[in-house]
Amino acid sequence: VSQASHPDPILERRAAGESVREVREESEVSEPDRVMQTIKDGPDANCMNACLASYFRCPISETPELHASTWTQEIREWVRPKGYGYVTIAVPTEMVFTETFSDGYLIVSGVSKRGRLHAVIYKNGVLWHDPHPDSDGVDKVEEVDFFYPLEPS
């Protein structure tokens, strides 16, 4: 993944001494762009990359190359220099999702109508962006991805 073509604004601001909180507060002022996936089907589909690009406001080309067996570690390594950690939490029921995860932007995953695991972004508890051209979302939210600051705000 090339970092030279487009500077990462989060990394630049963190390197300049701004706290995760300062960077996060300013980025919350405007809505992120909805980045579409560039590989739409098959085992190499990059819906998670499109969600990461939308969430972190960068081109999809600057997101990490994700592999089936190591993608969670690859995401952790990519967000760590930005000042974030990463964890995925399974969602046992729709009621738990609705009651617990209804605020802000969240990358969530579940099975799409195409029958494959798929990542989308929810905002305040409802589908905000599906990076696949079909825009069908997921049938049921099965997991929620969290990016948490590595330092207290």
Side-chain angles (χ1 to χ4, degrees):
V1 178
S2 171
Q3 294 286 332
S5 64
H6 189 282
D8 186 322
I10 294 173
L11 289 178
E12 287 180 350
R13 293 177 64 189
R14 294 280 294 131
E18 289 188 63
S19 72
V20 171
R21 181 181 189 159
E22 290 170 320
V23 173
R24 193 173 58 233
E25 285 174 351
E26 183 175 310
S27 68
E28 291 171 356
V29 172
S30 65
E31 192 167 84
D33 291 334
R34 291 174 168 95
V35 177
M36 299 302 289
Q37 60 191 85
T38 56
I39 304 169
K40 66 179 184 171
D41 294 309
D44 295 326
N46 61 352
C47 56
M48 178 56 94
N49 295 81
C51 288
L52 290 170
S54 296
Y55 193 90
F56 285 97
R57 301 166 185 260
C58 68
I60 195 170
S61 62
E62 292 183 9
T63 61
E65 184 175 337
L66 303 177
H67 302 91
S69 62
T70 56
W71 65 273
T72 55
Q73 184 58 34
E74 291 156 352
I75 292 173
R76 279 188 195 100
E77 290 171 3
W78 184 71
V79 299
R80 188 173 297 120
K82 298 175 184 306
Y84 290 93
Y86 169 74
V87 66
T88 299
I89 297 176
V91 177
T93 66
E94 186 175 338
M95 185 177 79
V96 169
F97 176 75
T98 303
E99 291 178 358
T100 310
F101 305 110
S102 60
D103 294 326
Y105 294 90
L106 299 168
I107 297 176
V108 304
S109 60
V111 176
S112 72
K113 295 195 184 331
R114 296 174 303 284
R116 298 190 60 89
L117 189 61
H118 185 50
V120 298
I121 299 178
Y122 271 54
K123 178 182 178 187
N124 299 329
V126 296
L127 179 64
W128 175 77
H129 174 53
D130 182 342
H132 191 276
D134 291 350
S135 296
D136 291 332
V138 295
D139 289 334
K140 175 186 160 216
V141 173
E142 297 177 13
E143 297 178 333
V144 177
D145 297 309
F146 285 99
F147 301 94
Y148 55 91
L150 293 174
E151 63 184 47
S153 38

